[in-house]
Amino acid sequence: MRSTRASLVTGGTALAALLFTAQPAAQPAAAAPVGTGCLAYGQAGSYLSREGGLKLTLSPGFLAELRRAGIGLSALGPVELVDGGKALWTPVGERYDTVATPGGRICHPGGFSFSDPETNVTYEIDTFRMVFAATGGSALLATPAVNGRPRPRGELTMAGFSLREALAPGTFVRHGGGVGPRKVALTLHRSWADDLNRELGTRLRGGAHWADLAIAWQGTPSRPVPAGTSPGLRGIELVNAAIRRMS
């Protein structure tokens, strides 16, 4: 379990991709083996940028339902709670994230935890994955753990979003010291809503607005990732092209 960086009872994110033109490595850490998911300490992975940040601003409706149900929210490092507990922020870049081939999933370490003090249930997302799909839906995925036990049915889709919306002019802009989508709506997936409702007693509904995603990619990465034909790798290529146009 990752260390908790911040917590509160709620009252008051990634994405990633690859560089398709090789660049000389900056000589430090060992490279992450292709396809292994999140990085071990000291590794450098294939990612769209050397560094940057990803922010998930939780919707008022989602926060209100957590508050109604008495559910606490904590961040699991390197993710942090920001904006008075209304948003989650995490650093991104080649030393945090990497793209697994051939699917093109991007693994982000850290996450968040929900807790119900009345039932002593803790529901954790301590690693999440993102897919920028060139065709079909783009999504955030994870395997939740309840009281330390991974979900028996394995991975589920947490939320979906539109890559077309993320790359649209006026959305994909310079901001936060980098470039990327400034605000993309994420829709709560029914499978995650049902899982949260079952474990935490919430009354969430699939298809509702879950959060707004913002990513600012900064700096040229030192390691490339091979191109591919999967929707995920093709989507990463589209994102990479957009970053180049804005840089």
Side-chain angles (χ1 to χ4, degrees):
M1 183 186 302
R2 300 178 187 277
S3 60
T4 300
R5 284 292 195 74
S7 64
L8 76 164
V9 173
T10 312
T13 94
L15 304 202
L18 329 176
L19 191 69
F20 287 86
T21 55
Q23 308 241 346
Q27 188 49 28
V34 172
T36 57
C38 284
L39 300 178
Y41 179 77
Q43 291 182 317
S46 298
Y47 189 73
L48 275 174
S49 64
R50 187 176 298 272
E51 56 189 8
L54 179 156
K55 184 177 180 181
L56 292 168
T57 301
L58 302 173
S59 73
F62 183 79
L63 290 170
E65 179 55 18
L66 292 185
R67 185 166 57 247
R68 183 205 65 78
I71 304 302
L73 173 63
S74 301
L76 304 176
V79 176
E80 300 176 11
L81 279 172
V82 295
D83 297 347
K86 297 179 180 179
L88 297 152
W89 180 90
T90 188
V92 298
E94 61 183 21
R95 295 195 176 279
Y96 295 93
D97 314 298
T98 196
V99 181
T101 57
R105 289 183 175 194
I106 301 145
C107 183
H108 295 275
F112 45 94
S113 173
F114 301 111
S115 59
D116 186 339
E118 289 192 5
T119 62
N120 292 320
V121 170
T122 299
Y123 185 108
E124 286 188 346
I125 303 289
D126 72 351
T127 295
F128 65 97
R129 291 163 286 281
M130 297 192 74
V131 178
F132 293 110
T135 57
S138 298
L140 278 69
L141 309 103
T143 301
V146 178
N147 292 341
R149 296 186 297 273
R151 180 175 182 266
R153 290 177 292 281
E155 184 180 70
L156 53 69
T157 300
M158 296 166 58
F161 65 97
S162 165
L163 181 58
R164 181 185 297 272
E165 178 186 347
L167 296 178
T171 297
F172 200 97
V173 296
R174 294 184 182 88
H175 70 103
V179 59
R182 182 166 50 191
K183 184 178 180 180
V184 179
L186 300 179
T187 300
L188 185 67
H189 195 274
R190 179 177 177 180
S191 62
W192 194 36
D194 289 348
D195 206 54
L196 289 169
N197 292 344
R198 179 170 50 252
E199 301 295 347
L200 298 174
T202 49
R203 301 172 187 167
L204 298 164
R205 178 176 54 84
H209 181 205
W210 175 54
D212 290 318
L213 169 71
I215 309 171
W217 288 294
Q218 302 171 10
T220 302
S222 59
R223 299 184 185 277
V225 185
T229 59
S230 69
L233 287 178
R234 286 168 50 214
I236 281 170
E237 190 171 9
L238 292 173
V239 173
N240 186 56
I243 291 174
R244 289 176 172 274
R245 284 196 300 271
M246 294 295 296
S247 299

